[in-house]
Structure formats: C-alpha cells, structure tokens
Amino acid sequence: MPKRTDLKKIMLIGSGPIIIGQACEFDYSGTQAVKALKEEGYEVVLVNSNPATIMTDPDLADRTYIEPIDPETVAKIIEKERPDALLPTLGGQTGLNTAIAVAEAGILDKYGVELIGANLAVIKKAESRELFRKAMRDIGLKVPESGIARNMDEVRDCGRKLTFPIIVRPAFTMGGTGGGVAYNMDDLEEISARGLAASLKSEIMLEQSLLGWKEFELEVMRDKKDNCVIICSIENLDPMGVHTGDSITVAPAQTLTDCEYQKMRDAAIAIMREIGVETGGSNVQFAINPVDGEMMIIEMNPRVSRSSALASKATGFPIAKIAAKLAVGYTLDEIPNDITRETMASFEPAIDYCVVKIPRFTFEKFPGAKDELTTAMKSVGETMAIGRTFKEALQKGLRSLETGMPGLGKLFSSLPRDREDILAKLRTPNSQRLYALRHALLSGLTEEDIFEASAIDPWFIRQIKDLVDYEAVLQTVKPGDDDFAANMLKAKEYGFSDRQLSTMWSLSEFEVRALRKSLNIEPVYYLVDTCAAEFTAHTPYYYSTYETGREVQPKKVKKVVILGGGPNRIGQGIEFDYCCCHCSFALREEGVMSIMVNSNPETVSTDYDTSDRLYFEPLTFEDVLNIIEFEQPDGVVVQFGGQTPLNLAVPLMKAGVKLIGTSPDSIDRAEDRKRFKEVVDKLGLMQPESGTAMSLTEAREIAAHLDYPLVLRPSYVLGGRGMDIVYGLDEFEAYFANCSVISPDHPILIDKFLDHALEVDVDALSDGTDTYIGGIMEHIEEAGIHSGDSACVLPPYSIPAHVVKEIERQTVALAQELNVIGLMNIQFAVKDEVVFILEVNPRASRTAPFVSKATGVPLAKLATKVMLGAKVKDLDPWSMRKEGHVSVKESVFPFNRFPGVDVLLGPEMRSTGEVMGIDSTFGLAYMKALMAASGRPPLSGTVFISVNDRDKPDMLVAAQGFHSLGFKIVATKGTAKFLIANGIKTEAVFKVGEGRPNIVDAMINKTIDLVINTVTGKKTVHESKSIRQTALLYSIPYTTTISGAKAMAEAVREVRESGLGVRCIQEYYGKVGK
Amino acid sequence: MKAILALEDGTWFGGTSFTGPGETQGEVIFNTGMTGYQEILTDPSYAGQMVCMTYPLIGNYGVNPQDVESKRLYLDGFIVKECCKKPSNWRSTMSLPEYLRASGVLGIEGIDTRALTTHLRLKGAMRGLISTQELDPAKLSARAKAIPEMEGLSLGDKVGTLEPYAWTSTGPRTVSVKDGYAWRDRGPRVVVFDFGVKWNILRLLTELGFDVLTVPWSTTAEQVRALNADAVFISNGPGDPAALTEAVDTFKSLVETHPVAGICLGHQLLGLALGGTTFKLPFGHHGCNHPVKDLTTGKIEISSQNHGFCVDLSCCPDVVPTHVNLNDQTLEGFAHRTKPVIAIQYHPEAAPGPHDSRYFFGRFRDMVRERTGK
C-alpha cells in the first residue's frame, strides 16, 4: 500500500530536555523520523525545547519550534500550523503524554488533526495499568497480582490485600519515576506518596513483586496490514526488581529455548493486536519464573523507547525510521532494508554477535543518594559493546563505561576477603554488582551462593567465572612461553584489554601492544548486517573482534576519524554528540570520508547513516589506536566529543597519530594550571588568585594566603567533580576530611572565589588568525554555580557594552595565543566591571549547540571546515548571524530521582540536560525556558521567601518585583522582619522546628505557589533542607538563587503584560542579520 | 581436542572438538536461527549435512526431553563459535556436548562461523570434513571432494521410517498395516509419507483432529488406497527430490484421488508430480527469519526455512503459486487450480521458528473437510 496522499503536514513532538529515563535516544529516533517523513515529501512541524538535539537543527524539519513541550504551547502551535496529523510515538513519554493531553482537551478534533501511529484509545489501553491488565487477561496472558490506588487510603487497602514485597509503579511516567519496591507498610506509604505525586494522573499501581524472576524484552513492529515482526529480543542480566534502564542487558536473549522464545513472540504479537497499535514499534517486557518458566507480562510501551534505540543499534534495523514510514501508510514489505538493499524491512534481523548494554551511573554526584538499584531508573547514560561472545562484549562494555575500569578486573594481585560484605553487595543490586560478582568468585564463593544472593542467572555467573578463571591462568604466563601467543589470543578473544594484561604482566600498556602486534594478534572488523552474513551488506557499521575474516578494507580516499563522547554522564552528554554529528556532516560536505567512533547506543552519531563509516567501539587508547592504524586516516578529531577524546589527545599524539585542529600542546597549555598562568600573564589578563596544593599542609598555607571564600577542586576533572566553595576554615577542613586524595599526583586546586560576580560563557571559532565570537552568554546565577547548571542568556542582558567589548578582546587574544584551530570556550567572571578568566577549554563546549541555534551559525560544522584548512574569514560566519531575539538556556536536574538529596546548586555539576527559551525579550525567553525546564512558574499567588543574611539586600529587588505584581509574600521571621522594614507587606511563618503550622505544612497544604530559598553555610543548609525537599516532592516551583528570583519576577511581569506567543526557529532566522 | 574443518575447495578452519575424538563428513551449510539448535539437531532433513550455526553462542539452554523433532540426531556434524558446557534453563536435563556425544555426532567449536558463512554464501554450500585425527587440511580437502554430492542423492531410506506408526499423545507407536489398519476414527484419516518427518507436523495434525498414520516413503498409491485414507500428507526430508522418481509417480497417482498437502521435500515432490522441475539453490535457505508473502491474502509471515532445493513451476499451467519468498522471490508454496492439492516449501510446523504459518495446517484441514465432509 503506498503512502498516504491525504496528509501534507505532519507534526512531531520531541522529548524535551535530557533527563534520567529519557535521553538522547529520542533525538536519535526523532531525527530518523523527521528525515523519513521529509524523504516522503511531507512538511514536518517539530516541537522540542532541547537545543542540543540534531532534530532541532533548522534545516531538518520545515518548521522547528524550540518551545516548551506543554499542552498549552503545543495547542498554540497546532492552531498556528494546522497540521493534518500528529505522530505521537517518537518523542518518548513526554511526546506521548503531551499528545494525550492535547487530544483530550479537544484540540486535535477542533483543528482536524489525526493521531497517526497510535490513536488515543490505543495509548490509553497500553498506558493505563488497569486497562492494560484487563486486555492481557482477555487474551489469556498472565500479569502480576496488583491493585490500583489513587489516594493513600486505597494504597493502604491494597497493602493489606497484596503480599509484600510490593512494587509501586506510577501510571503515565517514564523511567519509573516515583516507583520503588516496598517491603513493609511504612515503605509502601512513603513510596506511594512519591508515586502519586509523580504520576500524571495521580494513579499508581501496586503490584505483586516478581523479584528474582528473569526479565526479557521484545521489540515488535506492526504495519497497518497486521504484519508483525520482532526486531530484537533482549535478556536482562539483572533479574526483576532493577529497572530495565538500569539493568545490564544482552541481545539476543541467551537462555531461552526456541519453544520458550516463540511463546514470548506469539504473546508480543497478540499484545500488539489486542492493544491495537496500528503501526510502528512497541516494546513488551516479560518476566519468567526461573524455576518453572511461568511467563508474566510486565508492560508494553506503544512507542519507540530506549530499548528500541538499543535494538536498532544492536541489529542495524532502524526502528524509528521504519515506524515513521509505517505511520504514513507503507507496509513492511514496501520499505527496503538499507543495509542489505536486496531485502525488505519485513523480516526479523538475525545477528551473529553478542551485544551488551551497560548503564552508567553517577551516584558520586549526589551525596546522600544510596547506590541502590530499584524499579526507578537512576542511570544517566549507557554504553553498548559488540563482541563475538558475551565475554568479549561484556569486557568491551565495561571499559567503554570510562569509570576507570579497564574491563571486569583492574587489580589482579590482591584477593578480596570479606565474603559477607561481598554477599551483601550481591543481595541488594547496585552499580558495582558486577565487580562484586567477580570478587565473590575470587573469594571462593560458589555459583550457587552467588545465584542465591543475586538471582542473576547461572549462565551469566558462569560466563563471568570463565573470565575470572582465565585471569588466574593469564597471571601465570609470561612472554617467551611456548603457549604465550595462544594465551594472548585467547585473552583478546575474551575481551581482556591491553591495560588489564599490562597490569597482570607488569608491563606498560604500550609494551603489551608492541608484544601483541609482534605476534600478529590484531583485531579484525566485522559487520553489523541484520542478517548474519546471509546477504551482502552495504552499510558500513563495524565492531572489532579477534577473528580470522577480513571483510572490511580501508578505502584509499581522504578521510577523518571523529572520536565521540562515549556514554552520557553528567557533564558530558548530547551536546557533544551534536557536535560530533555536525563534524561528520561537514566532512561529508567537504567530500572527506567521515569515520565515527563511539560506544553510546542512544545517539545520532551512532546511527548507521550519520557517517560514512561507524565503528561501534570503546573510546580507549587501545581500541581507538587499533582503528586508526587500520584506517590510516588523514586526521583525527578530538575536540568535539567532550573530555573523553580530549584525554586521548596526548597519548594518541605520542603514538604518532595526526590530530587535526588545536594542537595537543595548546590543549595542554590551556588545561595545565601552571602553563595557563603563563599565558594569562603574558597577555596581561586577570585570573582569580590561586594555588596548587600537593599536600594538606600546602593547602592550608595557600588558604591562609588567599583568604575565604575559596573554590577547591581536584585537577583534571569533568563537570566539577569533587568541587566545592568553602566560606571558612571549618568548611575548608571538612572538605579535606571528605576528599579522597591529595598528593603530588592528585593535586587540589585552590582559587580565590569571586563572591557576587557575574559569570559569562563565551564560545568562539578560530583559525589561529581570525576569531569569530560565536556567542557571549551571561549567566543568570552568579559565579560559583557550575556553568553547566546555570541558566544563561544570549546576548548578555545586564553587562555594560564596554565590558562586553573587553570580553571579546580577551577571547580573541586567547584564541590567537593558544593558536586555536576550531572551537574554544572561555568562562569569565565579571566583578565590579573587571573581567577575570576562570577557565579556557580549547574544544567544543556544552553550549555550542545552544549558541548555534540562538544565532543560526553552525559552529561545529564551521569548526570542522577550519580544521580541514578553511579560513574563518572566508567562511564568514558574521554574515550568517541572526539577531534581534533573546535566547535563554536553562538546566534540568534529576533531583526527583534521588530522594533525600539536596537541590542546592553549587560548583559541582548535577544537571542532566537543558532547554532553550527564545523570544523577543529576556523576560519572555526566560519564562519559556522555565516552562520547558520544570513547568510554568505561577503568574500570581503566594511567594515564600527565606534567604540568608548575605542575600537580603539583593533579595529586596525580587521581593519588590513580586509584591508589585500582586503576589502575597510569606517569609520566615528574619526575612519577614527585613522585608517589612523595607516597606513590603509580608506575612511571617514558622521555620521547621519553630512551631506548627510551619512553612512545610503550608507547602503541603498547597498555599504556597513559589519558593525562594537561598542559604550559605552548612547549618542553614541543614535547617532549610526540608523546605526544598517538600517543594520538589509536591512540584512547587522554586529557586535557590537570588538572581534566579529576580529574573523570575521579571519574566512573570512580561508574560502578564504581553502573553506568550509561539514562533519557529525559521521565523527568527528570517530576520536580517547583522 | 584440536580439530579441523576442511572444505572441498581447500578452505579450512582450526577449532576444538567439544565431543571428543572423531571424524565426520557432509555438506556444510549454515543456519541463521538464533535459537532452536535442539530441533535442528533432531530434524531428519539435515541428514548428510554439517550445520554451522551463525549465532556464536550455542548450547546456552542445554537440551531437554521435549524439544525433539524425531527419535535421534540426523546431521553429521555441528559447527559453532562457542559451545556452552554448563547450560542454564529450568527444562534442561543435559548439556549440548553430552547430547552430541551420546549420539556420536561430532561437534567443533572455536570456528569463525561468520567467515565460514560468508565463504559459503559466496561460493555456495560445499562438502567438507571435520577431523580430530587427520590435522592436515590439504589431505582432508582432497577427501572432501570424494564425498557424494547432495544433488542426485536420495536419503529417504536413511531417515524415513521403515515401519508404519500411529501418532499418539505419548509419541509414535508402531503399527501393522498388513491386514489393513484399524483407524481410531476420531477425525479424518491422514496418511503421512515419511521422508524424515518432523514430529511437530504430526503433533499439529493431531491437534487439528486428524487420525494420523505415518507410513514409509516407499508406500505405493495402491497401498494408500487400500488403507482407506481420507487425505495424504507428504513430509519434509533431506536430499534431492529429483532422485525420488518412484515417489513422484506415487504422488502423480494420489493427487487424482486424494486431497494432498506437502511440506518442504513434500512440496518439491508434489511440484515434480504436477509437472514442475527442481533446482538447487546456491546455499539454500536455513533459518527462522525469512519473510514469505501469502499471495492469497497479501499477508507476510516470518517463516522457518530449511531447504537447499527449489521448485520451478513455469511449465505447469494448472498450478498457481501461493507463496513467495520476499528475500529472493523464489517459490514458497503452490496450489492446484482444480484439485485439492496444496504445498509449502518452508516449515509451518516451525520447531524451531515463528508460528506465523501454522494456518497452513488449518487450510489442509478445511480442504479435507470440503472434499470428504469429515
């Protein structure tokens, strides 16, 4: 059946900012969908608030709305654009929920917009736990015993009927937000309260726990002629009880017989039909009782998901692209398989390798959060590895995580002792469980002991045992032995890295490499071809393995290798993937073959048609150098993938690799504190006073000399890891009491902290001679808050023009001095109109996509061209620049995932994503950014203010702002006294502990609409934490900075005056540039 | 134990035997199914062949007493990347190496199965030897050339039953038909010609209410008529259909009197009986993911496939194609315009593979009902 011709204009809703449970996999799927629809000649309207996505690039969709994804805004866009159809299944849970909301509000009917892919009834049947359970029973499939609760009475009622442990699952949320496992009534009440608050519909399901059951997932596609195919089966290494996003998962399923697999396949297809998913991809999750094989259905998602992205990368089958084509009327047999070209999409991929996905956690960023894995997802990213065996893929995956582990084992000489401790770590799933499993085996625990403690399937335990056993063998062999080559080969087949071998054999990594090569033990590259070699494959998507075939040959053309960013983590996410993709696009434009190396399955960069070649490989020195030696590229790009590739720059250079762009020496001059100080001094610029301490004694001396407040941080860190601001000696000592190491190898950097200074980020493009200032962004939060966590405004809104000029001058001077070829990012602080340099990063920054979208100048693309030899002057970015509007970037935080963690911002970055607001004025743009990040702040109502003494004078402006807008002001005693003294009518309220009803009571009773709470010093932080926790739990808008409060008042004022409109990015760009 | 797989063209692969010492030979083919090795091992259609599994990790779920497709193992060698010695599955009663050893089938692991598969795809299925005794690849390759070619090979005697048997809830029960056969008459009577039938065909026929009697493939048309059967079913099996001229004659006769259905080799034999020809595919279809279009409904099914030969119906005006393979457009099924004859090239009984095509048995049941009123 051909595509539908009655549709002309199709709207897509993206998934918004990167949050836990919803990451760049939806940029990947959304981008595929937009491209697929455009390819078919449809006009595409896109809504997505996330500027760091490829899908919001202005030349992808026809009309790109970088606007908040809420029903109200989407309704405005529908009213304006009048699309024929809305495709709701490619923008994650956010896209789906928003589509439901506009449909239920009657907007779609009003404007005659058809939901394609899945209609409202289907979505509700799949997403409502109650309807879904009934549907499953109707087709004879089992679901766990459960009950639905809409309030706490019903929760208690269910708690009495069901047996503990009970799993709490909120309806209509993604990534299991607000869910958890309750072992007793107290747990149940606590978790349910969170769950009810998190659910869009205030509905939670309480469900019989299947803890310890095996968990599987199938990715299904269906077309409108009812043809169904299974794209991939996935088996979780972690048993039920761990969210699938937090589980180590393996494709295909490993421990099911064909009979059992087919039963699951039949069930998945029956579910598709019963739920009525008309076209597109869905995933179905199953639990299997390991004792007797009893099968239960856990859930199904009638949309593309994180798992479908993984399945696409694991098999080479582009689920999102095909789903988009099915939605407009094609059937599976009409869509060609791009990889084989000869065959069609109506088949089930056969794979001849093993795929392991491992989640990346950042518990260290959230002190107070327990490293415990439950049904609520906590991982911030993931890595995928491909190998011919599970063992090979697992070890590749573990070293791809970049947590410092070179594989399963790192140290081989010491034997772990405490079995009880190990067993405890196995009993409660946590981010370190796999290493605990290794320790368990090393300490002599049996497979049975481990299975009993962890419920991990014995097959996985034995695979890991094979690795552990072989570690022991490898430690007994040495170069020169008869069977050394055979052992070396087997070690590589088992996925051991050169680094692991170097530790075992007391050699350097380079020596192991040389030895290995001298024995001709080198990887080959095999294809991901969807068909297990049954047909010729045309798409160049490769993985390394130690086998005999030679199916990939380097091409003799001009080519450049791009090193990607690896797994998402806080501080390194989609922004860098965006830059890598743009680098690839630019190479293609210049006729240079692009070769991408990355290990992150969620990204656009690892889509099979983004680059000319894709190596799905770990970003380690060994794996990257293997590819470079094989491909012999003309250059390697390290400046787009964030810190990961940058850390490889020097080792690669030493290995003789030709890097293009800014030289590693320049990178070092910018990153090495001493060398950078020389640069700053040479140029006559200013830096906050600082020192480097190799010991605690030295640190104390420096502190005494500089005086407080001070910024303390370990050198060479990403995203402000371990960074803190201390205001006095007690806090200083506390920092070192908690800080892990200080030594000549791990020095601590100490800076004078510029209190109440403005912070400014600058992105610039340079060829060493000419420098283009891409954007100057003024932070809304003061210096001291990590730049990745701050909101920022482009162009600056309060910095005087002459200071802006000075910032530009310094940027140009630094770019020239460091001979930057490509992008650079500088952070400045401005105090009393004096400009200080905080940091220079001679690489693409987190803000590069934001600046590119805000100004219409594709910085990363231009940087690539500069790296290939073009001149900035000739590229003339000045002529492309679009102005006349204000863009605001706001950060998005995962605090709701880590109950108990304080939400205060500081020098350690904790945001997972960002949004962009764009409008004609600062206030309107900031309002949009706030709406996109965490929901609309109140336009009227009651503001609660509690600020520390230091902030009180500044607070006045914000308080006056809200007061003049008619807000009622409520404050704690001290603040109230101060405000009243300054003529602002204020009602006093008790702090927690002063008496009842206190502020927290008021918040719970919903009489507070906005919370402004600033603190300094550990004591006040502790005292006021419950206020911030309550705000988070009850979704009350809050800000923890004065500058944020002031900006918010401004935003509310402007919105009340002029209202909010919607405009697509192409309209903004229609304005005449400078 | 070190072992070598050598092909007739001189290509060889070093590996390890996971079943102890031995030597074996056969036509080397590859199967792309990611599950179902136990069904493959017990599928009589693999007689004379050595199967290379493209999925690298085989044996993970062990072997159980239920998932068998015949009495024993028929293939002549099993080629994998990594064999799991300690399986994990609640139904598993034995490991893969134990199972193969008990049946005297040689298994080799450590083979670069992707390289082997790519080679077979490019050069076609070829003869080969696996040996733990002779480790000189050149000598093995020379011997491989002497192995009989699959083309022209009749293997029915080797794998088909020699005695008639009824299918019961507990499996096969040998019966005598010398003095006629006492049908249980719980439903239409079907005689199944056994060229190496997969038990799941018999299970599914029984499920649909058929009274199933399996007979040796050499049974004549007269003998079938003497049995008073309502319908005839022709099984799958190994070898070249063109070598089975007597059987073709039998079916030429039976299509005149009975509703007849055939699967796989049965499809090929019916094709020949109706005037078609057969030819060998370069490397065959072996796997669980081939898309087939049912031309009568326009629907696509994901099919279980295992055949090296294919039917050409270009000179049979009375026969209409009903199914086509969407990968290579080869014929996957046909029906006679006027006679109650249907056939399908792949495996609607699955085992292993998807269940999408089970409706074929329903169609056969309907056809029999229409014809016989039973």
Side-chain angles (χ1 to χ4, degrees), chain A residues 553-572:
Chain A
Q553 293 303 332
K555 277 194 184 152
K556 286 200 178 74
V557 294
K558 189 170 183 198
K559 55 191 163 185
V560 166
V561 167
I562 308 160
L563 301 184
N568 277 7
R569 62 213 92 160
I570 287 173
Q572 187 168 308

Short mmCIF file of all heavy atoms in Angstrom, two decimals, chain A residues 553-572:
data_model
loop_
_atom_site.label_atom_id
_atom_site.label_comp_id
_atom_site.label_asym_id
_atom_site.label_seq_id
_atom_site.Cartn_x
_atom_site.Cartn_y
_atom_site.Cartn_z
N GLN A 553 37.75 -3.38 4.39
CA GLN A 553 39.03 -2.87 3.90
C GLN A 553 39.02 -1.35 3.99
O GLN A 553 38.01 -0.73 3.69
CB GLN A 553 39.25 -3.29 2.44
CG GLN A 553 39.44 -4.79 2.24
CD GLN A 553 40.60 -5.37 3.04
OE1 GLN A 553 41.57 -4.68 3.34
NE2 GLN A 553 40.48 -6.64 3.43
N PRO A 554 40.13 -0.77 4.40
CA PRO A 554 40.17 0.69 4.40
C PRO A 554 40.10 1.21 2.97
O PRO A 554 40.60 0.56 2.05
CB PRO A 554 41.53 1.02 5.03
CG PRO A 554 42.22 -0.26 5.28
CD PRO A 554 41.36 -1.39 4.86
N LYS A 555 39.45 2.36 2.82
CA LYS A 555 39.36 2.93 1.48
C LYS A 555 40.49 3.93 1.27
O LYS A 555 40.87 4.63 2.20
CB LYS A 555 38.02 3.64 1.31
CG LYS A 555 36.90 2.69 0.94
CD LYS A 555 35.69 3.47 0.46
CE LYS A 555 34.54 2.51 0.19
NZ LYS A 555 33.24 3.14 0.36
N LYS A 556 40.95 4.01 0.02
CA LYS A 556 42.04 4.95 -0.26
C LYS A 556 41.45 6.28 -0.69
O LYS A 556 41.43 6.64 -1.86
CB LYS A 556 42.93 4.38 -1.36
CG LYS A 556 43.81 3.24 -0.88
CD LYS A 556 45.01 3.02 -1.82
CE LYS A 556 45.92 1.92 -1.33
NZ LYS A 556 45.37 0.56 -1.52
N VAL A 557 40.89 7.00 0.26
CA VAL A 557 40.35 8.33 -0.02
C VAL A 557 40.76 9.23 1.14
O VAL A 557 41.29 8.75 2.14
CB VAL A 557 38.80 8.31 -0.11
CG1 VAL A 557 38.33 7.51 -1.30
CG2 VAL A 557 38.20 7.76 1.19
N LYS A 558 40.51 10.51 1.01
CA LYS A 558 40.79 11.40 2.13
C LYS A 558 39.76 11.14 3.21
O LYS A 558 38.56 11.10 2.95
CB LYS A 558 40.72 12.86 1.67
CG LYS A 558 41.23 13.79 2.77
CD LYS A 558 41.42 15.22 2.31
CE LYS A 558 41.99 16.01 3.49
NZ LYS A 558 41.85 17.45 3.35
N LYS A 559 40.22 10.91 4.43
CA LYS A 559 39.28 10.55 5.48
C LYS A 559 39.73 11.07 6.84
O LYS A 559 40.92 11.26 7.09
CB LYS A 559 39.10 9.04 5.52
CG LYS A 559 40.40 8.28 5.67
CD LYS A 559 40.16 6.80 5.44
CE LYS A 559 41.45 6.07 5.16
NZ LYS A 559 41.27 4.68 4.83
N VAL A 560 38.73 11.29 7.68
CA VAL A 560 38.99 11.82 9.02
C VAL A 560 38.19 11.00 10.03
O VAL A 560 37.04 10.66 9.81
CB VAL A 560 38.58 13.32 9.09
CG1 VAL A 560 38.51 13.79 10.54
CG2 VAL A 560 39.56 14.17 8.28
N VAL A 561 38.88 10.67 11.13
CA VAL A 561 38.22 9.93 12.21
C VAL A 561 37.72 10.93 13.26
O VAL A 561 38.46 11.82 13.68
CB VAL A 561 39.21 8.93 12.85
CG1 VAL A 561 38.65 8.39 14.17
CG2 VAL A 561 39.51 7.78 11.90
N ILE A 562 36.46 10.77 13.67
CA ILE A 562 35.89 11.60 14.73
C ILE A 562 35.73 10.74 15.97
O ILE A 562 35.10 9.68 15.92
CB ILE A 562 34.49 12.13 14.33
CG1 ILE A 562 34.54 12.81 12.97
CG2 ILE A 562 33.94 13.07 15.40
CD1 ILE A 562 33.17 12.92 12.31
N LEU A 563 36.29 11.18 17.07
CA LEU A 563 36.13 10.43 18.31
C LEU A 563 34.94 10.99 19.08
O LEU A 563 34.90 12.18 19.41
CB LEU A 563 37.40 10.49 19.15
CG LEU A 563 38.66 9.94 18.46
CD1 LEU A 563 39.83 9.96 19.43
CD2 LEU A 563 38.43 8.53 17.94
N GLY A 564 33.98 10.14 19.36
CA GLY A 564 32.76 10.55 20.05
C GLY A 564 32.95 10.62 21.55
O GLY A 564 34.06 10.50 22.07
N GLY A 565 31.86 10.80 22.25
CA GLY A 565 31.91 11.09 23.68
C GLY A 565 31.66 9.92 24.60
O GLY A 565 31.75 10.05 25.81
N GLY A 566 31.32 8.75 24.04
CA GLY A 566 31.04 7.61 24.93
C GLY A 566 29.73 7.80 25.66
O GLY A 566 28.88 8.59 25.25
N PRO A 567 29.56 7.03 26.75
CA PRO A 567 28.27 7.07 27.45
C PRO A 567 27.95 8.46 27.99
O PRO A 567 28.86 9.17 28.42
CB PRO A 567 28.45 6.07 28.59
CG PRO A 567 29.93 5.93 28.77
CD PRO A 567 30.53 6.13 27.42
N ASN A 568 26.68 8.80 27.98
CA ASN A 568 26.26 10.05 28.60
C ASN A 568 26.56 10.00 30.09
O ASN A 568 26.39 8.95 30.72
CB ASN A 568 24.75 10.24 28.45
CG ASN A 568 24.38 10.83 27.12
OD1 ASN A 568 25.22 10.98 26.24
ND2 ASN A 568 23.11 11.17 26.98
N ARG A 569 26.97 11.12 30.61
CA ARG A 569 27.09 11.25 32.06
C ARG A 569 26.86 12.70 32.36
O ARG A 569 26.74 13.51 31.43
CB ARG A 569 28.47 10.78 32.53
CG ARG A 569 29.62 11.60 31.97
CD ARG A 569 30.84 10.74 31.75
NE ARG A 569 30.82 10.21 30.40
CZ ARG A 569 31.90 9.75 29.78
NH1 ARG A 569 33.05 9.70 30.40
NH2 ARG A 569 31.82 9.31 28.55
N ILE A 570 26.78 13.03 33.61
CA ILE A 570 26.56 14.44 33.92
C ILE A 570 27.83 15.18 33.55
O ILE A 570 28.93 14.80 33.95
CB ILE A 570 26.17 14.59 35.40
CG1 ILE A 570 24.74 14.08 35.55
CG2 ILE A 570 26.30 16.04 35.85
CD1 ILE A 570 24.25 14.00 36.95
N GLY A 571 27.72 16.20 32.76
CA GLY A 571 28.89 16.95 32.32
C GLY A 571 29.29 16.60 30.90
O GLY A 571 30.06 17.33 30.28
N GLN A 572 28.80 15.49 30.39
CA GLN A 572 29.17 15.11 29.03
C GLN A 572 28.02 14.35 28.41
O GLN A 572 27.82 13.18 28.68
CB GLN A 572 30.43 14.25 29.05
CG GLN A 572 30.97 13.96 27.66
CD GLN A 572 32.35 13.35 27.73
OE1 GLN A 572 33.24 13.88 28.38
NE2 GLN A 572 32.55 12.24 27.07
#
